């Protein structure tokens, strides 16, 4: 049985071996959020394209703007003005944030550090050469590569593309991730369940997690606990880039996922991981496609998706697998857990005086969605720890959808 780190690395290794270059599509920069770039983006000119003022104030020669000096204000420059004339000796120019600094000026003095009477401006302190000016070309040179293939496009990357005029981008298509739940006890979410049935909440949570990870969910519904029905739906799922099943991977009589996949030629790399919840998680390759069998209890499904499926979606998107978003926080309430498994406990992280603190929530096990809905993270208890005292630093896995 692998540790979760070993299992995650195995997923990254095997999916990395199999992935090819993803199909690409032309996307408007306004619609490319979360996609993976498949081209280089270069600057169309230097940035900034002129010496830019970072403050509202006065453009000056620093040698003239000494403490107590008075200079005549010869005009003003606002952002967007065309600036052709150099600053005349013995004068200053009022300038706005973002405006071009005129030739001859080598500093901008903030307006708060001056007093003005009519056209005369008095400087309260000496100006330093280069202060409050971003030099031309200091952010990027002309024709410089600023975005590279494999980068995931967030709002900063999209703003950078827009700034250099890259209004259409070649991006990798989102990988299509088939989602199939299993079990006779599962009914559609818009149906009234029988006394001993449950609605298919996993199909909703998994589709959301696929979208957050950067994939396109393909929801196939639910397979009954019958080999023929399960096999037929798995065949359908294998037409997509990856298949994620929930349920049917434990040791029960009707847990059929592994046996059906084996009959279809699947190669398995693990079928148990030393974690709670989510121990019976399965990963393999079938007909050249990554296949994940996740436990059916909802919290187990959510945890194992984040640990094992999310990095596969990254790789299938044309990006590298992102690191697990673990941070440290101070434990607010002592813990005692059974050693031997790494525990991922629904928890709530808060900040007190700028210090993150975390406390595990009361929960009823891996079927307790209500507890997880109150959590903004998972508290990670190492497999070799039985007790953790209040005030100790612990690892926390942040829920990407709510933090």
């Amino acid at each position: 049985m692998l540790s979760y780190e070993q299992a995650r690395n195995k997923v990254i290794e095997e999916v990395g071996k199999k992935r090819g270059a993803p199909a690409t599509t032309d996307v408007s920069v306004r619609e490319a959020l979360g996609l993976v770039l498949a081209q280089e983006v270069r600057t169309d000119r230097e940035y900034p394209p002129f010496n830019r003022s970072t403050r509202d104030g006065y453009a000056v020669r620093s040698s003239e703007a000494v403490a107590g000096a008075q200079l005549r204000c010869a005009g003003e420059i606002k952002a967007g003005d065309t600036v052709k004339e150099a600053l005349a000796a013995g004068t200053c120019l009022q300038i706005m944030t973002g405006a071009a600094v005129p030739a001859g000026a080598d500093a901008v003095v903030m307006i708060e550090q001056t007093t003005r009477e009519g056209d005369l401006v008095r400087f309260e302190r000496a100006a330093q050469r280069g202060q409050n000016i971003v030099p031309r070309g200091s952010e990027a040179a002309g024709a410089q590569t600023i975005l590279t293939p494999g980068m995931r496009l967030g709002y900063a990357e999209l703003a950078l593309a827009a700034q250099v005029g890259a209004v259409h981008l070649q991006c990798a298509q989102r990988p299509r991730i088939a989602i199939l739940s299993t079990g006779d006890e599962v009914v559609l979410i818009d149906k009234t369940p029988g006394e001993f049935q449950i609605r298919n909440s996993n199909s909703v949570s998994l589709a959301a997690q696929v979208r957050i990870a950067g994939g396109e969910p393909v929801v196939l519904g639910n397979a009954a606990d019958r080999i023929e029905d399960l096999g037929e739906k798995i065949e359908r799922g294998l037409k997509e880039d990856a298949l994620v099943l929930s349920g049917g991977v434990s040791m029960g009589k009707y847990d059929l996922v592994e046996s059906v996949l084996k009959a279809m030629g699947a190669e398995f790399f693990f079928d148990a991981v030393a974690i709670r919840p989510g121990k019976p998680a399965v990963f393999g390759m079938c007909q050249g496609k990554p296949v994940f069998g996740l436990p059916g209890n909802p919290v187990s499904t959510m945890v194992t998706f984040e640990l094992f499926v999310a990095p596969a979606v990254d790789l299938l998107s044309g990006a590298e697998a992102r690191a697990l978003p673990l941070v440290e926080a101070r434990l607010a309430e002592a813990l005692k857990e059974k050693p031997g498994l790494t525990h991922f406990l629904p928890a709530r992280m808060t900040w007190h005086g700028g210090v993150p603190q975390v406390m595990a929530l009361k929960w009823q096990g891996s079927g307790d969605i209500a507890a997880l809905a109150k959590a903004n993270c998972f508290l990670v208890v190492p497999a070799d720890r039985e007790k953790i005292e209040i005030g100790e630093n612990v690892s926390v896995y942040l829920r990407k959808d709510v933090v």
Side-chain angles (χ1 to χ4, degrees):
M1 185 162 56
L2 302 181
S3 69
Y4 80 87
E5 297 98 334
Q6 291 170 327
R8 183 180 175 88
N9 287 337
K10 177 55 71 173
V11 170
I12 293 169
E13 176 188 349
E14 297 300 330
V15 176
K17 287 179 186 176
K18 298 288 186 181
R19 68 168 176 168
T24 63
T25 185
D26 185 84
V27 184
S28 163
V29 70
R30 298 181 185 277
E31 305 298 328
L33 180 64
L35 295 178
V36 174
L37 190 63
Q39 66 169 93
E40 282 192 345
V41 174
R42 295 175 177 267
T43 55
D44 59 333
R45 55 179 178 168
E46 293 179 307
Y47 283 90
F50 48 80
N51 295 332
R52 185 179 67 215
S53 175
T54 63
R55 295 288 188 273
D56 293 331
Y58 294 93
V60 298
R61 286 181 165 86
S62 58
S63 60
E64 296 179 341
V66 298
Q70 285 187 320
L71 297 173
R72 182 177 63 84
C73 181
E76 70 172 31
I77 307 169
K78 65 179 185 296
D81 280 351
T82 300
V83 179
K84 293 184 177 179
E85 294 185 10
L87 178 67
T91 68
C92 62
L93 286 166
Q94 188 169 7
I95 193 167
M96 313 307 167
T97 300
V101 178
D106 64 2
V108 171
V109 178
M110 292 191 298
I111 200 166
E112 297 91 334
Q113 297 171 0
T114 65
T115 55
R116 181 170 177 173
E117 293 184 8
D119 288 340
L120 289 180
V121 180
R122 177 183 173 85
F123 296 87
E124 307 299 336
R125 64 181 73 174
Q128 303 297 316
R129 182 180 177 87
Q131 74 180 40
N132 301 321
I133 296 174
V134 179
R136 175 178 177 171
S138 60
E139 295 173 352
Q144 178 180 331
T145 298
I146 51 171
L147 297 173
T148 56
M151 294 182 70
R152 192 171 294 278
L153 297 168
Y155 51 78
E157 291 77 13
L158 294 177
L160 188 55
Q163 177 176 267
V164 302
V167 295
H168 291 278
L169 298 168
Q170 278 294 312
C171 296
Q173 292 183 2
R174 296 183 188 275
R176 290 170 60 85
I177 311 299
I179 297 168
L180 177 63
S181 60
T182 68
D184 289 346
E185 76 279 14
V186 177
V187 300
L188 297 174
I189 60 172
D190 58 354
K191 300 298 182 184
T192 301
E195 184 178 0
F196 302 108
Q197 293 180 312
I198 57 172
R199 292 186 178 93
N200 192 0
S201 63
N202 281 350
S203 67
V204 175
S205 63
L206 284 171
Q209 287 180 287
V210 167
R211 289 190 183 96
I212 292 169
E216 182 69 31
V218 181
V219 180
L220 303 181
N222 186 72
D225 290 325
R226 294 189 298 279
I227 289 175
E228 296 79 8
D229 188 45
L230 181 59
E232 180 183 324
K233 289 186 169 67
I234 286 176
E235 284 282 7
R236 167 65 185 87
L238 291 173
K239 298 184 188 312
E240 307 301 345
D241 297 306
L243 170 62
V244 179
L245 299 104
S246 64
V249 293
S250 295
M251 301 298 291
K253 179 180 178 181
Y254 295 101
D255 291 323
L256 305 173
V257 167
E258 283 187 80
S259 61
V260 171
L261 284 168
K262 281 180 182 176
M264 298 170 71
E267 177 186 5
F268 294 103
F269 300 102
F270 60 79
D271 61 4
V273 185
I275 57 175
R276 176 179 179 269
K279 180 179 175 182
V282 173
F283 164 63
M285 287 283 178
C286 189
Q287 300 177 20
K289 304 295 179 65
V291 177
F292 298 87
L294 309 183
N297 277 330
V299 181
S300 296
T301 304
M302 297 174 198
V303 168
T304 50
F305 182 97
E306 292 299 313
L307 293 177
F308 310 126
V309 185
V313 177
D314 279 342
L315 293 166
L316 295 170
S317 300
E320 296 304 312
R322 286 171 280 193
L324 207 59
L326 294 175
V327 298
E328 277 200 349
R330 187 176 297 167
L331 190 62
E333 187 176 280
L335 277 176
K336 182 177 181 181
E337 295 292 336
K338 185 177 179 180
L341 301 175
T342 300
H343 295 259
F344 289 82
L345 305 177
R348 188 87 193 163
M349 189 163 76
T350 54
W351 285 259
H352 299 274
V355 178
Q357 296 189 10
V358 66
M359 183 173 66
L361 301 179
K362 304 296 182 187
W363 69 315
Q364 302 303 316
S366 57
D368 192 353
I369 308 175
L372 189 54
K374 299 173 185 175
N376 61 5
C377 62
F378 293 96
L379 196 164
V380 184
V381 181
D384 60 353
R385 294 294 301 273
E386 182 176 4
K387 294 181 180 179
I388 304 179
E389 301 298 334
I390 188 171
E392 286 193 57
N393 283 341
V394 293
S395 289
V396 173
Y397 176 88
L398 299 175
R399 277 183 57 191
K400 297 190 286 287
D401 55 333
V402 296
V403 176

